[in-house]
Amino acid sequence: MKRFRPYRISQEIRDQYADVQIEISDFIYPYFVTEGENVKQAIPSMSGIYRFSIDELLRDMEELTVVGIDKVLLFGVIDDASKDERGSAGFSPENIISRTVKAIKARFPQTLVFTDVCLCEYTSHGHCGLLHNHDVDNDSTLPLLAEMAYQHALAGADFVAPSAMMDGQVEAIRQRLDQEGLSTKILAYSAKYASAFYGPFRDAAGSAPSFGDRKTYQMDFRTKNQGLEEIAADVEEGADWIMVKPAMSYLDMLYRASQQFADYPLVAYQVSGEYSMLKNGAAQGFFNEERIFFESLTAIKRAGANYIISYYAKDFARL
Ligand code: PBG
């Protein structure tokens, strides 16, 4: 008989044998930014998460810095009246994300700023690219994504993070940044699945598609190797960091990506639905909130993620 229980006899011994450690520096904290002043609007589908105007976001970031989180990912939320077919508000020089990046960099120069690059938050139809004959057209979307990435980079973003799942988006952005002489890095949402777990986010960002779904561009979760092919393509096109999204139901893909692309920092996105599921379950008394998040975030790290985007990051760091 092999005895395992000696590894578990006390908290200290268990700590000694723990292979996986979560560090505060692993976390990237997502923020939803909206127009106005003094806005801190609770998001009903995501308990504990808010839409902030820039001034309030800076105030919230004080807390973030205190607990040691030094990476943020920004999403823009604009009202329907400001949206159009092309998502122009997302890539105009005065777009909300560029203004936010400048404000963050002025106040928190040490914080790494990642910006989401996608059209769905800014188009009147809520799809991630331009429409043509009622479907999302790949190639005509690329210059718009490149323009958005350029604007974010110009404002001082450290990483632009294309999430539209258009083929060639990383290459288009890389070329544009090179042309402009910008050395901004690219975090590619490489293996991004068409997932029901994004439900709460679409509420939060007002980015639900007005018709159809995202299955013609986001990945089919019934595939196995395609995710690795997507990552390989992004690496080829010039991605600096790569991502698997969602995280908790895709630990196998995280593990395989970490094995096959060991040289590339791997990011896992614990998405809105994963967050809300745990958060609401805990609120209802089904499980202990701290413990359930500790366990799920550890599993994501154990599977091979180097960084984790999580709405729980601030609470986790506080504990
Ligand atoms: C698209 C984008 C989405 C998320 C991140 N970027 C929504 C989507 O693809 O439908 C989802 C994140 C989450 O659910 O937390 N800009």
Side-chain angles (χ1 to χ4, degrees), residues 2-281:
K2 167 127 171 100
R3 292 201 181 271
F4 290 97
R5 295 191 57 200
Y7 299 121
R8 302 165 195 160
I9 48 176
S10 70
Q11 186 64 44
E12 272 171 9
I13 297 286
R14 290 192 293 273
D15 288 348
Q16 249 167 43
Y17 285 97
D19 297 315
V20 181
Q21 227 73 257
I22 298 176
E23 314 283 346
I24 303 305
S25 58
D26 298 339
F27 285 119
I28 303 171
Y29 189 63
Y31 273 117
F32 297 101
V33 205
T34 192
E35 297 290 356
E37 269 173 53
N38 298 315
V39 181
K40 181 177 175 181
Q41 213 170 52
I43 298 168
S45 59
M46 300 176 70
S47 146
I49 303 299
Y50 301 83
R51 295 183 203 102
F52 292 105
S53 52
I54 295 174
D55 56 333
E56 287 291 333
L57 185 143
L58 294 176
R59 210 157 295 149
D60 197 79
M61 276 187 68
E62 303 281 354
E63 289 175 32
L64 207 65
T65 334
V66 168
V67 296
I69 297 178
D70 62 355
K71 298 174 198 69
V72 297
L73 169 63
L74 304 177
F75 294 99
V77 187
I78 63 173
D79 56 23
D80 287 344
S82 311
K83 297 180 181 178
D84 62 21
E85 285 293 299
R86 293 162 54 81
S88 316
F91 51 83
S92 74
E94 278 303 296
N95 75 82
I96 185 162
I97 294 301
S98 291
R99 281 179 282 133
T100 309
V101 172
K102 285 181 200 157
I104 293 175
K105 283 292 174 185
R107 181 86 157 267
F108 304 98
Q110 313 292 11
T111 299
L112 276 187
V113 180
F114 297 71
T115 63
D116 190 77
V117 173
C118 190
L119 296 191
C120 70
E121 290 87 352
Y122 309 103
T123 51
S124 37
H125 47 75
H127 275 287
C128 302
L130 276 182
L131 289 192
H132 183 68
N133 294 334
H134 231 54
D135 193 16
V136 172
D137 185 61
N138 195 87
D139 295 11
S140 59
T141 301
L142 298 179
L144 304 188
L145 296 174
E147 180 63 21
M148 187 182 296
Y150 165 64
Q151 291 297 339
H152 294 175
L154 198 60
D158 298 282
F159 281 80
V160 290
S163 68
M165 288 303 281
M166 293 299 116
D167 295 326
Q169 61 183 8
V170 171
E171 183 175 44
I173 290 171
R174 174 58 79 207
Q175 276 178 1
R176 182 69 195 277
L177 294 176
D178 282 351
Q179 268 167 23
E180 306 283 354
L182 290 163
S183 58
T184 314
K185 293 187 164 63
I186 300 176
L187 161 59
Y189 280 76
S190 304
K192 174 173 175 177
Y193 292 85
S195 171
F197 285 106
Y198 306 151
F201 174 97
R202 293 178 187 176
D203 261 5
S207 64
S210 60
F211 66 90
D213 53 41
R214 303 213 159 123
K215 290 179 185 164
T216 68
Y217 42 105
Q218 298 180 347
M219 292 183 58
D220 190 320
F221 51 74
R222 296 169 300 181
T223 59
K224 282 175 80 171
N225 287 324
Q226 210 180 86
L228 299 174
E229 290 168 19
E230 284 271 6
I231 295 172
D234 282 353
V235 162
E236 180 91 357
E237 292 178 26
D240 298 283
W241 290 17
I242 54 177
M243 192 195 300
V244 170
K245 174 190 176 186
M248 289 162 60
S249 297
Y250 296 82
L251 295 180
D252 56 328
M253 294 310 303
L254 272 172
Y255 179 71
R256 293 165 74 203
S258 73
Q259 297 295 299
Q260 199 152 321
F261 300 94
D263 295 340
Y264 292 85
L266 174 61
V267 180
Y269 198 146
Q270 185 183 49
V271 299
S272 58
E274 297 178 314
Y275 168 82
S276 290
M277 177 170 71
L278 302 186
K279 190 85 182 168
N280 294 355

Side-chain angles (χ1 to χ4, degrees), residues 276-289 291-292:
S276 290
M277 177 170 71
L278 302 186
K279 190 85 182 168
N280 294 355
Q284 289 186 53
F286 298 150
F287 27 69
N288 174 285
E289 182 175 299
R291 286 174 53 202
I292 202 81

Side-chain angles (χ1 to χ4, degrees), residues 269-319:
Y269 198 146
Q270 185 183 49
V271 299
S272 58
E274 297 178 314
Y275 168 82
S276 290
M277 177 170 71
L278 302 186
K279 190 85 182 168
N280 294 355
Q284 289 186 53
F286 298 150
F287 27 69
N288 174 285
E289 182 175 299
E290 279 172 43
R291 286 174 53 202
I292 202 81
F293 275 102
F294 184 45
E295 184 177 334
S296 71
L297 292 166
T298 303
I300 291 167
K301 189 90 196 275
R302 193 181 60 229
N306 302 110
Y307 296 97
I308 306 175
I309 302 169
S310 173
Y311 301 98
Y312 198 70
K314 191 155 61 130
D315 289 333
F316 186 93
R318 215 185 263 137
L319 305 164

